[in-house]
Amino acid sequence: MEAFFIVADTGYNYLQLQKIMLRAAKRLQWPTDTLERTWIPGRDSILPVNPSPTFFGGGYYPRTSFEECFSIEYWDSLSEDEKPADNKMAIVAGVHTRRSAADAALHRIRMHCPKAFVEPGILLTHVIH
């Protein structure tokens, strides 16, 4: 489904992005939702805290809902760019169905995250079992 992702910042270092995300969430009083995923240093990946081999093979799974909350996602899971981003990550501050709603949220976020922008993309809204 067509989506508009509010991206607060991008980078390759999960821990740096996490600090930026938590600081912005506190200032904006917006929730964070890690989807029970975290950075696993030995694997250099965003993975479930309690992996299940029957759920995405215990690997990374993308956000699947429209909402205003902070999370860290792989750039490739939200961008329509066809070039692989080599583990680039993004702080997503919200996902909207309308560009106007995303632009309004972007205006609020830019006070605390000056690099923020809206990225059009596709949100997989299927039910995960």
Side-chain angles (χ1 to χ4, degrees):
M1 177 174 231
E2 182 179 42
F4 297 94
F5 295 88
I6 304 163
V7 178
D9 205 345
T10 62
Y12 295 91
N13 185 311
Y14 182 91
L15 297 177
Q16 285 178 345
L17 291 174
Q18 184 181 46
K19 285 179 187 175
I20 294 167
M21 176 185 74
L22 294 173
R23 186 172 45 244
K26 184 176 181 178
R27 289 178 180 161
L28 288 161
Q29 297 182 356
W30 281 12
T32 59
D33 183 0
T34 62
L35 301 172
E36 296 185 30
R37 301 172 306 184
T38 191
W39 183 251
I40 308 295
R43 303 261 316 264
D44 288 337
S45 297
I46 302 170
L47 294 171
V49 173
N50 297 307
S52 166
T54 59
F55 187 69
F56 278 82
Y60 171 82
Y61 48 89
R63 179 164 296 288
T64 60
S65 61
F66 291 96
E67 58 189 319
E68 231 171 52
C69 69
F70 283 96
S71 66
I72 299 175
E73 307 293 332
Y74 280 116
W75 180 256
D76 290 343
S77 74
L78 57 100
S79 174
E80 291 184 305
D81 189 355
E82 293 186 18
K83 282 189 330 190
D86 296 328
N87 290 326
K88 182 177 182 180
M89 293 171 268
I91 301 170
V92 174
V95 186
H96 294 272
T97 57
R98 294 183 345 269
R99 178 67 191 231
S100 59
D103 287 342
L106 177 65
H107 180 72
R108 295 190 314 267
I109 289 168
R110 276 209 175 134
M111 291 184 288
H112 303 288
C113 301
K115 295 179 184 177
F117 60 95
V118 173
E119 177 70 18
I122 302 294
L123 182 70
L124 302 174
T125 57
H126 57 282
V127 177
I128 299 174
H129 299 277

